Amino acid sequence: MALLALVLSMPLWLVPPLVLVLPPLIWGWLTYRVMAFDALAEHASPAERQTVLATHRYRLLLMGVVCGYLGAAPSLVWASGVVFAAAFWVLIPVAVWIYALVLAFSSLWFAHYGLAALHSLREHAAPDAGQAAPPAGTRP
């Protein structure tokens, strides 16, 4: 779906401000969908995962958009033109390093937030730990 959105929005990229807004937004939406699911896939049941994703949808989307803009940062170096043509061999490893750093940051951010939200959901769903159950064979 994100690839389709990128292809369909390409004519809008000819409008100067939209080329700086649309691709990071689309990649941010995709980052939100993939990273949020991936952070909860191993640890949450399907019902818990759906609850966390529904409850925290806008915060997760905002995190994805921020990560989408961070992922677009190395592209600004390439868009600067002929000035950096001489530094081409230096900029390639730097750009790859920045992309890897953004990937690591976004995955850790989504894992931290998603697992904290899951922990909070489980705490609210569980009965109070302070109230002990009465011993067996006694009346309350």
Side-chain angles (χ1 to χ4, degrees):
M1 184 151 189
L3 186 59
L4 180 65
L6 282 171
V7 170
L8 292 177
S9 70
M10 283 178 107
L12 297 174
W13 296 7
L14 298 174
V15 179
L18 292 180
V19 73
L20 298 174
V21 173
L22 287 178
L25 286 178
I26 294 169
W27 283 115
W29 175 81
L30 182 64
T31 300
Y32 143 68
R33 298 290 293 186
V34 170
M35 292 289 190
F37 179 83
D38 189 45
L40 297 171
E42 290 279 328
H43 306 287
S45 68
E48 289 174 328
R49 186 173 53 243
Q50 288 174 354
T51 303
V52 169
L53 292 178
T55 305
H56 299 276
R57 176 182 318 260
Y58 295 112
R59 289 181 184 163
L60 291 168
L61 181 59
L62 180 64
M63 289 169 51
V65 169
V66 168
C67 292
Y69 275 105
L70 288 175
S75 301
L76 296 176
V77 174
W78 299 116
S80 59
V82 181
V83 177
F84 291 108
F88 181 74
W89 296 107
V90 175
L91 291 178
I92 289 176
V94 169
V96 169
W97 182 78
I98 292 172
Y99 284 129
L101 190 63
V102 169
L103 176 66
F105 169 75
S106 62
S107 63
L108 288 173
W109 192 13
F110 274 93
H112 177 74
Y113 186 84
L115 293 177
L118 179 63
H119 178 72
S120 175
L121 175 72
R122 287 180 177 171
E123 274 187 345
H124 291 338
D128 265 345
Q131 295 178 347
T138 62
R139 293 186 180 185

